[in-house]
Amino acid sequence: MSSCLPSSSRKRVARWLSCAVVSGVLGNTAGAWAQASEPEPTLPVEETQQGSSATTRAAHEAAMMPGFAALVDRLLPAVVNISVSSVIHPDDHQSEGPDGSTPSGPQSSPFPPGSPLEKFFHDYLHRRHGDGKPARQVQALGSGFIIDPSGVVVTNNHVIDNAQQVSVTLSDGTEYPARIVGRDSKEDLAVLQVKADRPLPSVPLGHSDEARIGDWVLAIGNPFGLSGTVTAGIISSRKRNVDHGLYDDFIQTDAAINHGNSGGPLFNLKGEVIGINTLIYGGSGGDSIGIGFAIPSDDARGIINQLRQTGYVRRGWLGVRYQDVTRSMAEDLDFHKIDAGKERGTGAIVAEIDKGGPAQKAGVQIGDILTSLNGQPVTGQTLPRLVAGYQPGETVHFILWRRGVYQNLDLTLGRNPEEKDPLPSDTHPPEHPVKTLRELGVKLGVVDQTARTQYGLTDSQRGVLVMRVYDGSPAASRGLAEGNLILQVGQQEVNTPESLQTALDRARELKKADILLLVQDGEGLRWVAVPLGGQPQP
C-alpha cells in the first residue's frame, strides 16, 4: 500500500494498515524457557528464605497484572473482518475516492467540436487508454467493528476505497454482503450496513478525551488475514500530529497493530472503543515497530453520526488563514494567558481573512489571536479540527486577544465555497434523483445502488448518470450515450442532476454558447462541448 506521509531521507514512514505482520514474541519466550531449564544452584537457608520471599513478591505482582481473557470473550464477537473486491484498470494510478479527486488524464481536443480531427483525437485517446491491458480483479482485507445491533459497521475509508463489492465476516464465520452508507476521506472513516437475520453483537464508543497516557488498551483486528488477533499495550501519547492531514489528532499506542488492522477498534479496559486504528510507523517492509496511531473516538463520533444520517460530512468554515503563536511571537507581542500573570499565551494568530467570509462578517481582524472556541483552548494545530467539528450555520463563541485586550466574539460558521458537492448516498438519495434537461436532450439520474448494478459501476465511480439521450438532441450530436457519467461541468464537479442543472443555469446567465462536460464511458474520460439552446421534445 502507499505511504501516508511524505518520504524523508532519515525518517521512517507512516503507512496505511490496509492489509498486517505477526509480531513475534517467540524469541523472548524461548529465552525464558531456556533460563527456566537450567539447574538451580543450592543456596544457604538464609538465601533460600530471601529467594522464597522474592518469589512470593513476584507472584503477587504478577497477580496484580490485568488479565484480558474475560474482556476479550465479550468484545471479539463485535469485531469483524472486511473483505473488499476491486477492479483495477491499467491507468488507475490516481485516487478517485469519495473526496471527489479527479483521475488523471482528461484532455480537451484542440480541434473544433464536430470536426473529423476532433473525432480522430478522441479515438486516439481511447486507443491509448490502458494500452489494451485488461483490468485486474483484486482482493483486500481490513477490520471493522459493529456499533449497532442492526448491523452498522465502522471502518476506515481507505479499507473500502475503490470497492466493487464489500463483505463483512463475523467472528463465528458468518459472512454478509455490506453496503457503503457513507464515507469521509478527510478523517478516513466509513460506515457500512449489513442486513442480518438477528441482532448482532455491538460495542459502544467511549470517550477518548478521558483516556490518559499509560492506560492499558487492546487492539483487535485482522492482521494479514489472521482474524480475531488480540494485542495489548498502553497509550503512548495523545494528540499526535504526524503531518498526515489537516485534522491530525491521533492516539499513539505500542499495542502491536499491523497491515490488516486498519479500521479495527482500540479498546479501553471498560470494553469501550476509544480509537479506530489507522496508521503505523514501519520499516521499509511496513512491519510494525510498536508505534501505531488511532483516530480518537471523540473525534470520530460526530463524523460517524453524520455519515449515518446523510452519507456525507459537512464541516464548518471560518474563512481565515492563521499560524500557531510561537514563543518569539508571544514575547514580541507581550501576549500572556488570561488571568495567568506573565505566563506565555497560546493560540492561533490570524494572518489573512477571506473577503465576505464568516470571520470578516463577525469583525475578526488581522493580528487577532484566537485563544478558545466554545471553552476549548485553541492553537494553530487544533483550530482546524475544532472548527470542523461544527456544522455550517452554527454559532460558536470565541475568546480572542487583540492588542493586549481579551474580547468575546460570537461567530456563525459558513460553508467553505471550495467544498465539493456532497456525494449522493445510496441510503439517503437527493430530493430529485431523476431529471430531464431539455436544453441538452438528456435524462439524468443519480448513481445509486440500482445504477451500479445495472451499469456495472464501482462504489468509487461518482457523477451524474446519463439514463437516456434523445434523438436529434445536442447531447446526441456530441456522442453522449446511455450509461455515460458526467463528472464535471467546466471545472465544477457534479454528483446530482440538480447540481448539473444549477451549472447549466449559470452558463445560460453568462450567455455561453455551449457547456463543457467531462464525460466518462467504458473507454475513459473526455471533454465534450455541448451546444445550448436546443429544445427537444422527449
Side-chain angles (χ1 to χ4, degrees):
M1 303 299 292
S2 61
S3 66
C4 64
L5 291 180
S7 298
S8 176
S9 57
R10 302 184 64 85
K11 184 177 181 182
R12 292 193 180 271
V13 180
R15 300 180 180 273
W16 292 120
L17 306 178
S18 57
C19 297
V21 127
V22 184
S23 189
V25 294
L26 297 181
N28 293 337
T29 306
W33 286 341
Q35 292 176 8
S37 63
E38 293 177 0
E40 296 182 2
T42 303
L43 300 176
V45 174
E46 294 82 359
E47 294 185 19
T48 302
Q49 292 174 344
Q50 292 175 1
S52 176
S53 176
T55 301
T56 302
R57 285 197 303 273
H60 177 71
E61 291 172 357
M64 296 296 290
M65 294 291 288
F68 305 121
L71 181 61
V72 170
D73 285 344
R74 178 159 58 92
L75 300 178
L76 265 178
V79 181
V80 301
N81 297 342
I82 295 177
S83 175
V84 176
S85 174
S86 304
V87 175
I88 304 298
H89 295 277
D91 63 342
D92 280 351
H93 57 275
Q94 290 279 353
S95 171
E96 50 174 38
D99 55 355
S101 52
T102 307
S104 65
Q107 299 184 41
S108 57
S109 170
F111 307 111
S115 70
L117 288 177
E118 183 196 33
K119 183 177 185 304
F120 172 81
F121 180 81
H122 287 145
D123 289 345
Y124 166 73
L125 286 182
H126 293 168
R127 286 196 302 270
R128 194 184 64 175
H129 179 81
D131 295 326
K133 296 178 182 178
R136 295 182 295 113
Q137 186 97 11
V138 297
Q139 299 285 333
L141 298 173
S143 305
F145 55 97
I146 304 170
I147 62 169
D148 190 288
S150 65
V152 179
V153 177
V154 173
T155 185
N156 283 145
N157 174 64
H158 75 262
V159 169
I160 51 94
D161 197 24
N162 295 320
Q164 187 177 39
Q165 292 180 329
V166 181
S167 61
V168 167
T169 305
L170 307 185
S171 60
D172 62 4
T174 306
E175 185 174 351
Y176 296 103
R179 185 184 70 248
I180 298 174
V181 173
R183 50 199 294 183
D184 176 51
S185 62
K186 290 186 174 69
E187 201 77 35
D188 193 23
L189 289 170
V191 174
L192 312 178
Q193 176 73 59
V194 299
K195 290 185 178 179
D197 54 0
R198 57 188 170 88
L200 299 179
S202 61
V203 288
L205 289 174
H207 293 285
S208 56
D209 287 348
E210 297 176 0
R212 301 175 301 169
I213 296 174
D215 281 351
W216 280 100
V217 288
L218 293 179
I220 305 180
N222 183 34
F224 281 121
L226 300 172
S227 60
T229 295
V230 182
T231 55
I234 62 170
I235 295 177
S236 306
S237 186
R238 293 185 53 206
K239 298 187 179 299
R240 280 295 193 204
N241 183 345
V242 294
D243 295 328
H244 174 62
L246 191 61
Y247 307 110
D248 279 17
D249 182 37
F250 294 112
I251 296 172
Q252 181 183 330
T253 180
D254 68 348
I257 54 177
N258 297 275
H259 295 297
N261 278 105
S262 269
L266 188 70
F267 290 105
N268 61 19
L269 295 190
K270 297 178 183 177
E272 300 168 333
V273 179
I274 60 167
I276 298 97
N277 297 319
T278 301
L279 302 171
I280 59 172
Y281 268 112
S284 58
D287 53 313
S288 172
I289 58 173
I291 301 178
F293 301 97
I295 302 168
S297 59
D298 281 327
D299 288 0
R301 182 178 285 102
I303 302 296
I304 293 170
N305 288 339
Q306 285 196 60
L307 293 177
R308 293 182 66 180
Q309 293 169 10
T310 65
Y312 58 87
V313 175
R314 287 287 197 205
R315 292 177 170 86
W317 177 60
L318 192 56
V320 299
R321 308 289 183 274
Y322 48 83
Q323 299 170 246
D324 197 30
V325 176
T326 63
R327 179 178 294 276
S328 60
M329 286 182 185
E331 291 174 354
D332 290 344
L333 296 172
D334 196 25
F335 168 50
H336 302 100
K337 287 186 176 180
I338 188 170
D339 300 328
K342 290 296 182 180
E343 186 177 353
R344 179 175 65 90
T346 59
I349 186 168
V350 177
E352 185 179 349
I353 301 175
D354 291 343
K355 185 177 181 179
Q360 185 190 53
K361 292 177 180 177
V364 176
Q365 299 178 13
I366 293 177
D368 287 351
I369 298 177
L370 306 176
T371 62
S372 77
L373 169 59
N374 283 353
Q376 295 181 277
V378 163
T379 66
Q381 176 184 332
T382 62
L383 183 58
R385 180 176 59 84
L386 293 175
V387 171
Y390 297 93
Q391 293 282 301
E394 284 192 71
T395 298
V396 295
H397 179 75
F398 277 102
I399 295 179
L400 60 83
W401 183 91
R402 178 182 294 168
R403 299 181 182 87
V405 178
Y406 278 94
Q407 301 182 20
N408 294 285
L409 178 73
D410 289 329
L411 186 151
T412 301
L413 297 173
R415 175 190 171 190
N416 192 332
E418 297 179 358
E419 186 177 88
K420 298 176 176 62
D421 284 339
L423 297 176
S425 165
D426 295 349
T427 306
H428 306 279
E431 184 178 356
H432 302 290
V434 177
K435 192 175 187 65
T436 298
L437 301 185
R438 294 176 178 271
E439 297 94 327
L440 303 184
V442 291
K443 182 179 180 181
L444 304 174
V446 297
V447 181
D448 56 16
Q449 190 59 45
T450 301
R452 296 184 204 286
T453 302
Q454 181 177 352
Y455 296 100
L457 304 175
T458 70
D459 179 74
S460 65
Q461 288 179 284
R462 302 292 179 175
V464 180
L465 177 68
V466 177
M467 302 177 67
R468 182 178 176 185
V469 178
Y470 296 101
D471 293 339
S473 68
S477 70
R478 292 296 183 262
L480 267 69
E482 179 184 349
N484 288 173
L485 292 179
I486 300 174
L487 306 181
Q488 293 185 23
V489 177
Q491 303 263 318
Q492 182 69 40
E493 294 186 2
V494 291
N495 288 295
T496 65
E498 287 291 338
S499 62
L500 201 153
Q501 175 73 71
T502 301
L504 188 64
D505 294 341
R506 189 180 306 118
R508 192 185 303 108
E509 290 173 3
L510 296 174
K511 301 186 183 306
K512 292 189 175 182
D514 52 31
I515 187 168
L516 188 63
L517 307 178
L518 179 61
V519 178
Q520 182 180 24
D521 57 22
E523 295 183 323
L525 294 165
R526 60 191 176 104
W527 288 101
V528 180
V530 180
L532 297 176
Q535 293 290 332
Q537 297 299 319

